[in-house]
Amino acid sequence: MQRFGTLSFGHYGPLGGGHILTAADSMKQAVELAEGMDELGVNGAYFRVHHFARQQASPMPLLSAIAARTRHIEVGTGVIDMRYENPLYLAEEAAAVDLLSDGRLALGVSRGSPETVIRGYEAFGYTGAQDPRGADLARDHFDLFWRAIRGEGLAERDASSPFGGGTGMQRIEPHSPGLASRVWWGAGTRETAEWAGRTGVNLMSSTLLTEADGTPFDILQARQIDAFRAAWKDAGHAGTPRVSVSRSVFPLVTAEDHMYFGGRQEGDGIGYIDGFRSTFGKTYAAEPDILVEQLLQDAAVMSADTLMLTIPSQLGVEFNLRVVESFAKYVAPALGWKSNRDTVPV
């Protein structure tokens, strides 16, 4: 593990006791937290994307705001649901954010998780999926997006146009030459990870895997990572792909930490998602020296180059910044972490 960042679910709404966290509060606090993390040397601020829910749904404005207020931290998503996206418009937006941030965008995309509505992407105008979960639609959208950000010409030039004309095929603009190397696919199966390796995108390993044979989650995830890297190598892609995993990790340093998360250490979970029996990762909550020992034994954390810490964003900037600072100060260095001053997004 060389890098770490935060993965925020961006929930907002009633907090209890008559308090309400608004959508504006959630986004403004995300920017403020990212500013603080940038100063600490944290490598990334990443956001889950969900539709028809009180969470982040349109990430590009938020990522742009963070990029404008920071200098080093990577900004990204985990993940954008491609079923809901216009591929070319997303390619334009992503290129713009990447250029504005000087190449700090890490764009995680995938089929996405189940939403709170039935086939919500159809309400966005994207119909025709044969798969009941829309996986075929997501792959089709990604294929066009992937071609666009790699600079392929996609529309025939109009020779009679008063705005330049010409012949041949025109790519979308703006174009960011390095963006394709910073696209990640969120994978919940070994097969999808292998597809990502063959395609040539980075791997964002999911918080769950649709396998449940009694094997510990970290071992299943490490096998998935190995399969991805083997597929990348077999496909003949140049360079070294990046791999991220996410974990809930809480260093217990203060009395408040103990109040919220003491006794929350949980083992792997087994459940069903999309009709598949799945394994969910554990929660780590302990004193820093114990966390170091535990995470060094987590096969997937040590195999990945990037660890995303899922944070309770509803608890506010001050609390979350302290959690992140405690991890950066007492835990991350022992795992191989390098601050954002020493790493460059690739």
Side-chain angles (χ1 to χ4, degrees):
M1 188 209 87
Q2 296 179 334
R3 302 171 172 88
F4 89 88
T6 57
L7 178 61
S8 173
F9 287 67
H11 293 292
Y12 56 90
L15 297 178
H19 300 288
I20 295 177
L21 184 72
T22 68
D25 294 333
S26 177
M27 288 185 281
K28 291 175 181 178
Q29 288 182 14
V31 174
E32 186 179 346
L33 178 60
E35 287 184 278
M37 293 195 301
D38 194 41
E39 291 299 316
L40 291 173
V42 178
N43 307 87
Y46 314 97
F47 298 89
R48 291 288 296 269
V49 179
H50 280 286
H51 301 282
F52 297 104
R54 289 174 174 171
Q55 292 181 245
Q56 303 299 343
S58 181
M60 294 305 177
L62 176 61
L63 300 184
S64 296
I66 292 174
R69 299 271 290 270
T70 58
R71 295 181 59 194
H72 304 282
I73 198 167
E74 191 171 66
V75 296
T77 54
V79 293
I80 290 175
D81 190 331
M82 291 302 295
R83 296 174 296 181
Y84 287 77
E85 295 296 327
N86 178 310
L88 298 188
Y89 188 64
L90 178 63
E92 290 177 342
E93 282 194 317
V97 173
D98 197 52
L99 293 169
L100 286 168
S101 65
D102 295 321
R104 288 188 282 138
L105 178 63
L107 196 69
V109 299
S110 190
R111 190 214 74 193
S113 302
E115 300 285 9
T116 60
V117 298
I118 299 172
R119 299 173 76 95
Y121 43 89
E122 293 185 347
F124 275 54
Y126 302 118
T127 59
Q130 301 302 307
D131 185 294
R133 298 169 298 152
D136 54 338
L137 193 64
R139 289 285 181 91
D140 288 346
H141 285 189
F142 175 77
D143 178 64
L144 182 54
F145 167 77
W146 186 234
R147 291 164 58 199
I149 64 168
R150 296 171 77 185
E152 182 178 331
L154 295 170
E156 186 176 357
R157 293 186 178 95
D158 182 357
S160 63
S161 171
F163 303 106
T167 60
M169 302 297 285
Q170 177 65 44
R171 72 184 186 190
I172 62 101
E173 294 288 351
H175 174 70
S176 181
L179 177 58
S181 67
R182 278 173 273 107
V183 172
W184 308 59
W185 187 268
T189 67
R190 206 173 310 184
E191 292 75 17
T192 305
E194 290 172 345
W195 172 85
R198 291 192 300 269
T199 302
V201 292
N202 301 298
L203 175 66
M204 190 170 284
S205 188
S206 177
T207 53
L208 62 90
L209 294 174
T210 54
E211 300 179 53
D213 61 2
T215 302
F217 177 76
D218 68 305
I219 301 300
L220 289 174
Q221 199 169 39
R223 292 173 182 171
Q224 182 201 43
I225 293 170
D226 289 343
F228 162 75
R229 287 176 173 150
W232 176 285
K233 182 178 180 181
D234 290 345
H237 298 301
T240 302
R242 286 180 60 186
V243 175
S244 73
V245 298
S246 59
R247 294 287 187 274
S248 296
V249 182
F250 301 102
L252 302 182
V253 177
T254 69
E256 190 177 26
D257 298 334
H258 281 272
M259 179 183 71
Y260 278 118
F261 299 105
R264 283 282 301 275
Q265 183 114 226
E266 302 168 358
D268 293 344
I270 302 293
Y272 285 85
I273 188 166
D274 276 352
F276 294 98
R277 194 164 184 261
S278 305
T279 306
F280 300 77
K282 66 179 67 176
T283 294
Y284 292 98
E287 285 71 20
D289 56 336
I290 296 175
L291 285 182
V292 169
E293 294 177 7
Q294 292 174 333
L295 292 171
L296 285 172
Q297 296 302 312
D298 188 308
V301 169
M302 298 314 298
S303 179
D305 61 81
T306 301
L307 173 62
M308 298 182 179
L309 304 179
T310 58
I311 57 170
S313 54
Q314 303 98 309
L315 293 182
V317 174
E318 183 179 352
F319 179 84
N320 281 286
L321 192 59
R322 191 178 71 245
V323 169
V324 171
E325 185 174 14
S326 294
F327 187 82
K329 184 176 181 180
Y330 301 116
V331 181
L335 306 180
W337 172 58
K338 298 177 182 178
S339 82
N340 63 26
R341 308 302 194 274
D342 302 320
T343 57
V344 179
V346 293

